[in-house]
């Protein structure tokens, strides 16, 4: 009954969206749809040539990897058989301030994978609260694991996920794993699917230079329908982009939700230091530590150490998402602030690794992260200015253009294998506008960071003058960049 209600709601949503587009099209003058007219609908889309080109390249590369290249790789790794088996598997789980129900789901899936994979396995629990330890022990005893499956605890103060990971890595180092051992890093709100370990650990034998890989993600959102759709859209887009970057073995993040590394990587003192004490030396804001973004630090460290990164699209995890706010707009902005800040902090130093290390396409993608925040605002800004200066029809044309193109983009995501809902076109445009503004704000304030779950912020202990300078120089640069952008728009129109 619940499934039928969901189906009817989805169908009604799509019907309402298409009906609204048709109604808008009827309100526009016929010249809009005349190819000979100077205000032909597609002319407005010319301002998005760069964005649509990059999107098309990502999409085609993603499908090429997902449906042709990866199946070929999967056949090759399957032929390796038991020769691709690791000598030992470490499952490192970090938990902090996660509700008991989610914690039980996560550790139940981890213990079942540790037992079911058939490899010698150690579950390393990096935790803060005693209650988590008692819960995990109770779950462990209920399964009565075989002798080759061990349980280990690492108790740390609640000083952040980076410290939890570093203590876990050092605990694994004390086991002195050999070159064939692997380490899976699992977040405290990630539920592993059955067979995940066997689907992922074999790739290190096929690709000797891959230092880390990550997996496909689906989600269960403890929040509103709109927040649920927002997260699911993000994971569908992520899947295509990950496949695109995996084509060149340059996946841009080792997601903290679930990534697998060679044990010799996570036991490397340099890698541990990068994750625990990563920092950025900024020309204006000075030197500051990274509070969030351990997944970006691990990726950067792998690149710096000379490793490749990979993506396994047929290995899936399920994450339990807890929005930081009940209000969709507040919650989404908070999450964007954290995610985009992590991306841009990585971006500002990753480009310095050079084309020889990253490759031309990866360097272009990193450059596009800087360009896209402004390009995303170009179309709506031109449409608004043109409607004020000439005729309101320009704004209506633009709205129709956005409605049609976002509908097409949403339907293209069906190829990802992720669900596609009727709210996707609107959320896509919301992400474009609000995401661009958040990126611009963060770009000039890279030192501002905060966790959404831990409610902690970075305290640099700066002198009052330095705090004043950082604040007002950030405001001045944001205002200057915005002024140049607006002046350019007025010149174009």
């Amino acid at each position: 009954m619940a499934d039928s209600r969901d189906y009817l709601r989805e169908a009604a949503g799509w019907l309402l969206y298409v009906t609204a587009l048709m109604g808008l099209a009827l309100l526009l003058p016929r010249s809009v749809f005349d190819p000979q007219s100077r205000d032909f609908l597609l002319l407005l889309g010319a301002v998005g040539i760069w964005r649509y080109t990059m999107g098309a390249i990502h999409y085609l590369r993603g499908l090429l990897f997902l449906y042709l290249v990866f199946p070929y790789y999967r056949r090759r790794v399957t032929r390796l058989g038991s020769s691709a088996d690791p000598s030992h598997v470490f499952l490192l789980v970090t938990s902090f301030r996660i509700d008991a129900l989610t914690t039980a789901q996560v550790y139940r899936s981890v213990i079942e994978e540790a037992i079911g994979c058939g490899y010698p396995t150690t579950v390393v629990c990096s935790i803060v609260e005693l209650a988590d330890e008692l819960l995990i022990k109770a779950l462990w005893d209920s399964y009565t694991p075989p002798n080759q499956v061990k349980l280990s605890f690492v108790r740390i103060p609640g000083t952040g996920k980076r410290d939890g990971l570093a203590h876990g890595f050092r605990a694994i180092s004390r086991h002195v794993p050999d070159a064939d051992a692997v380490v899976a890093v699992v977040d405290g709100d990630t539920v592993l699917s059955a067979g995940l370990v066997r689907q992922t650990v074999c790739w290190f034998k096929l690709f000797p230079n891959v230092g880390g890989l990550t997996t496909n993600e689906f989600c269960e959102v403890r929040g509103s329908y709109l927040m649920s759709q927002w997260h699911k859209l993000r994971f569908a887009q992520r899947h295509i982009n990950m496949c695109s970057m995996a084509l060149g073995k340059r996946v841009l993040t080792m997601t903290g939700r679930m990534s697998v590394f060679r044990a010799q990587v996570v036991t490397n003192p340099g890698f541990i230091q990068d994750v625990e004490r990563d920092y950025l030396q900024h020309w204006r804001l000075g030197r500051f530590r990274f509070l969030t973004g351990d997944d970006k630090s691990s990726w950067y460290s792998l690149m710096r150490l000379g490793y490749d990164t990979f993506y396994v699209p047929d290995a899936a995890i399920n994450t339990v998402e807890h929005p930081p706010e009940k209000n969709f707009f507040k919650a989404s902005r908070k999450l964007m602030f954290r995610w985009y800040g992590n991306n841009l902090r990585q971006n500002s130093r990753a480009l310095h690794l050079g084309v020889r290390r990253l490759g031309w396409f990866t360097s272009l993608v990193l450059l596009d992260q800087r360009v896209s925040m402004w390009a995303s605002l170009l179309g709506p800004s031109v449409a608004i200015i043109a409607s004020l200066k000439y005729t309101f029809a320009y704004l209506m044309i633009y709205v129709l253009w956005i409605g049609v193109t976002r509908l097409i983009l949403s339907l293209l995501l069906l190829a990802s294998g992720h669900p596609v809902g009727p709210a996707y076109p609107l959320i896509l445009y919301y992400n474009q506008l609000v995401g661009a503004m958040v990126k611009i704000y963060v770009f000039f304030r890279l030192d501002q960071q905060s966790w959404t779950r831990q409610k902690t912020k970075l305290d640099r202990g700066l002198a009052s003058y330095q705090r004043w300078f950082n604040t007002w120089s950030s405001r001045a640069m944001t205002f200057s960049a915005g002024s140049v952008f607006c002046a350019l728009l007025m010149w174009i129109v």
Side-chain angles (χ1 to χ4, degrees), residues 43-75:
L43 288 178
L44 191 59
V47 299
I49 287 177
W50 171 266
R51 294 184 58 248
Y52 287 114
T53 300
M54 286 299 298
I57 292 173
H58 264 308
Y59 187 77
L60 294 175
R61 281 173 56 96
L63 295 190
L64 176 63
F65 176 82
L66 184 59
Y67 291 106
L68 292 177
V69 176
F70 181 77
Y72 166 69
Y73 286 159
R74 177 57 81 182
R75 291 192 295 270

Side-chain angles (χ1 to χ4, degrees), residues 155-176:
R155 290 285 300 276
I156 66 165
T159 52
K161 185 180 176 184
R162 287 181 178 272
D163 288 340
L165 289 172
H167 281 76
F169 292 156
R170 293 190 180 99
I172 293 171
S173 300
R174 290 191 285 272
H175 289 268
V176 194

